[in-house]
Every structure is written in C-alpha cells, then in structure tokens.
C-alpha cells in the first residue's frame, strides 16, 4: 500500500471487511457486485483486499450494488 499510517490501514481493512461481509451476506460474487456497482471486478477485489482507497463517488456505487447505505458500509471505520 501507499504510505498509510497504521490507523489509515486499519480503516481500509475495516472497510474491506464490511464490503466483503455484505457481499457474502447477499451471496453474490465479486463479478456480480461489480456489475451491480458499475465498476470493474478487479476494483472490487482491490477494495476487499485494502489495496485501494476509494473515492466517495466509487463508494456510493458500491453501496448501490450492495443495496446498503454509505453509513452502513463505513460502520466502525
């Protein structure tokens, strides 16, 4: 990852976990989530592995795909 602080890394990891857990809850693949979100599958993979620091706009797209709110996705982050 870029030069993130320990706290920032922790936040990215929590976000990654929230995305992955919500996706698994919906029983959909990364491919399916990507289609629902209008982003690339590799982007979803990067998010779930804390390899990307997503913009608010991209997070909104993922929220739409997961049928959840931004505040829910950022829970505990």
């Amino acid at each position: 990852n870029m030069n993130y602080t320990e706290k920032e890394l922790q936040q990215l990891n929590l976000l990654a976990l929230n995305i992955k857990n919500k996706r698994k809850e919906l029983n959909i693949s990364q491919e399916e989530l990507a289609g629902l979100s209008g982003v690339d599958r590799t982007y979803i993979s990067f998010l779930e592995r804390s390899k990307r620091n997503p913009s608010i706009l991209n997070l909104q797209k993922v929220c739409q795909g997961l049928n959840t709110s931004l505040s829910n996705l950022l829970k505990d982050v």
Side-chain angles (χ1 to χ4, degrees), residues 11-26:
Q11 289 173 309
L12 282 177
N13 288 335
L14 281 168
L15 175 63
L17 197 62
N18 287 351
I19 292 170
K20 190 173 192 170
N21 287 342
K22 184 67 180 162
R23 178 177 63 77
K24 289 192 178 283
E25 205 179 283
L26 295 173

Side-chain angles (χ1 to χ4, degrees), residues 66-77:
L66 291 170
N67 194 29
T68 193
S69 66
L70 193 55
S71 58
N72 191 31
L73 210 56
L74 293 174
K75 192 169 38 123
D76 303 325
V77 175

Side-chain angles (χ1 to χ4, degrees), residues 20-55:
K20 190 173 192 170
N21 287 342
K22 184 67 180 162
R23 178 177 63 77
K24 289 192 178 283
E25 205 179 283
L26 295 173
N27 201 27
I28 57 175
S29 67
Q30 289 183 344
E31 188 82 48
E32 289 170 307
L33 176 54
L36 292 167
S37 303
V39 299
D40 202 79
R41 187 205 62 81
T42 55
Y43 186 72
I44 298 295
S45 172
F46 283 138
L47 287 182
E48 289 189 0
R49 291 182 293 127
S50 309
K51 301 293 184 199
R52 282 285 183 282
N53 178 8
S55 68

Side-chain angles (χ1 to χ4, degrees), residues 50-67:
S50 309
K51 301 293 184 199
R52 282 285 183 282
N53 178 8
S55 68
I56 290 290
L57 295 178
N58 279 339
L59 267 187
Q60 288 283 28
K61 289 179 183 180
V62 174
C63 285
Q64 203 170 4
L66 291 170
N67 194 29

